[in-house]
Amino acid sequence: MPPLLQVSDLATRFHTPEGTVHAVNGVSFELKEGETLGVVGESGCGKSVTMLSLLRLIPQPPGEIARGEALFAGRDLLQLTTDQMRQVRGAQIAMVFQDPMTSLNPVMTIGRQISESPVEHLGMNQQQARARTIELLQLVGIPDAEKRLDDYPHQFSGGMRQRVMIAIALACNPQVLIADEPTTALDVTIQAQIIELVKRLRAELGMAVIWITHDLGIVAGIAQRVQVMYAGYIVERADVKELYANPRHPYTLGLMGAVPRVDGRHSHRLANIQGRPPDLLTEPRACPFAPRCPFSIEQCWQENPALREVGPRHAIACWVDVTKEDVGRGF
């Protein structure tokens, strides 16, 4: 079965007064029907820009999708007209953004904001859209749904606002849900509730999910496959169990080593990745992680490695092959 979404060699630039920022540098990946793909990396590594590029939500200028292909349902998203993309966004691919307070319109009722999409994409009348909105609020676990339709965003808690954002995203039964760090601003208890909600909805509705996060703990509980990004590149990709059991890229090893364990089984101090992320005003010609990598060799400073297979469904972009036993020695 062909993948639902197939992205090839996606590159996105931002032209600024200081120079051209190379935000995404030749990213390629696939998403299958019904699966959850975790996208992990530190702030500024290109996670969100990659997904915003697919939905053509990059402001142009200063942004520019320099090259690439994104095949979805037989069409290249990057070649569609503006009107064609409007029919895809919300209806077939939906996105939940990081901060619901800035994503929701503060002067429009929740009911009106949720009903916009069914009216626009499904041709519902106001009565049908109202019924659909109540159904969606119940689906995402908001009590007294009918009574909350005329409330405004400020009348909801942070967790409830994020549930509203998920309801908006699900309004037209999309095939793909992109969740951009939707639990970052929430406390741990509410985070767990939102994660369980998305897992339940994915199972019930059969949609595919792309979950963007910097939290490795969240990925372990929600994704089937994971790709790790650094400096606009995918540096490691594997099934989630394989990645946690056998991380092979030094950056992934550093991330893993920096996660505290509650079972007290650390045999070494928490890892500390030295240095700073690279300056993306210059397109990397060598490995972008080399200046921070304790395992770098001469070749790392001369050539940027491509992804290579190191096991079944497991690839890394690295000239050196290390294992998690090396964390204590390297970091």
Side-chain angles (χ1 to χ4, degrees):
M1 181 181 295
L4 180 61
L5 175 65
Q6 186 167 19
V7 179
S8 303
D9 197 29
L10 176 66
T12 302
R13 309 283 182 253
F14 289 94
H15 303 288
T16 71
E18 290 77 24
T20 298
V21 177
H22 299 81
V24 178
N25 301 303
V27 165
S28 300
F29 66 91
E30 295 179 350
L31 180 70
K32 298 178 181 178
E33 290 189 19
E35 80 165 339
T36 299
L37 172 67
V39 183
V40 181
E42 62 194 42
S43 297
C45 72
K47 307 184 300 294
S48 299
V49 173
T50 296
M51 303 310 160
L52 290 172
S53 299
L54 299 182
L55 290 176
R56 304 266 296 281
L57 292 174
I58 297 293
Q60 302 184 46
E64 176 197 7
I65 300 174
R67 65 178 188 272
E69 183 180 67
L71 296 178
F72 175 74
R75 298 191 296 174
D76 185 358
L77 297 176
L78 305 184
Q79 300 300 322
L80 298 183
T81 66
T82 301
D83 288 340
Q84 288 173 328
M85 273 307 302
R86 286 190 63 190
Q87 297 306 311
V88 172
R89 290 191 213 107
Q92 296 171 281
I93 304 177
M95 190 163 183
V96 178
F97 296 95
Q98 185 170 345
D99 186 356
M101 201 58 203
T102 56
S103 301
L104 294 169
N105 190 324
V107 297
M108 287 175 59
T109 65
I110 291 299
R112 183 178 172 190
Q113 295 187 62
I114 298 175
S115 65
E116 279 185 331
S117 190
V119 170
E120 171 72 21
H121 294 295
L122 304 180
M124 291 185 178
N125 59 36
Q126 292 300 322
Q127 186 177 359
Q128 292 170 327
R130 179 181 175 85
R132 174 63 173 159
T133 300
I134 294 171
E135 177 188 345
L136 288 163
L137 289 177
Q138 292 170 339
L139 185 68
V140 298
I142 293 183
D144 299 322
E146 190 168 1
K147 296 180 181 178
R148 304 304 304 267
L149 290 183
D150 296 324
D151 286 348
Y152 291 86
H154 72 271
Q155 295 175 276
F156 288 75
S157 66
M160 287 298 178
R161 284 195 293 267
Q162 199 58 280
R163 289 171 185 263
V164 169
M165 288 296 299
I166 294 171
I168 292 173
L170 298 178
C172 297
N173 294 322
Q175 295 170 270
V176 179
L177 176 68
I178 300 173
D180 186 5
E181 303 202 43
T183 61
T184 297
L186 306 176
D187 63 56
V188 176
T189 304
I190 305 302
Q191 279 188 20
Q193 293 176 5
I194 296 297
I195 292 167
E196 287 304 314
L197 171 64
V198 173
K199 289 170 65 176
R200 175 174 63 82
L201 293 174
R202 184 189 66 82
E204 291 178 2
L205 304 177
M207 63 185 177
V209 177
I210 298 176
W211 190 285
I212 303 169
T213 185
H214 60 267
D215 190 330
L216 287 163
I218 289 177
V219 170
I222 198 170
Q224 282 87 49
R225 289 192 302 124
V226 186
Q227 59 189 31
V228 181
M229 292 191 67
Y230 184 81
Y233 295 91
I234 295 174
V235 296
E236 184 158 13
R237 178 168 52 215
D239 292 341
V240 65
K241 290 182 179 179
E242 166 68 11
L243 187 84
Y244 280 80
N246 191 26
R248 303 285 282 275
H249 192 282
Y251 178 60
T252 310
L253 285 165
L255 293 179
M256 295 287 191
V259 177
R261 297 183 60 141
V262 296
D263 58 9
R265 290 172 59 189
H266 269 296
S267 59
H268 54 82
R269 295 172 62 89
L270 292 181
N272 178 22
I273 302 177
Q274 300 291 334
R276 300 173 59 185
D279 181 3
L280 296 179
L281 289 172
T282 303
E283 185 171 11
R285 298 299 178 188
C287 174
F289 189 60
R292 306 174 71 185
C293 180
F295 306 103
S296 62
I297 59 176
E298 185 177 350
Q299 191 174 10
C300 302
W301 297 88
Q302 297 172 349
E303 187 179 355
N304 195 356
L307 281 170
R308 62 183 175 92
E309 297 291 327
V310 292
R313 294 165 55 85
H314 191 168
I316 61 172
C318 185
W319 297 117
V320 182
D321 198 357
V322 293
T323 65
K324 63 181 180 181
E325 282 70 30
D326 292 312
V327 171
R329 176 173 62 86
F331 289 99

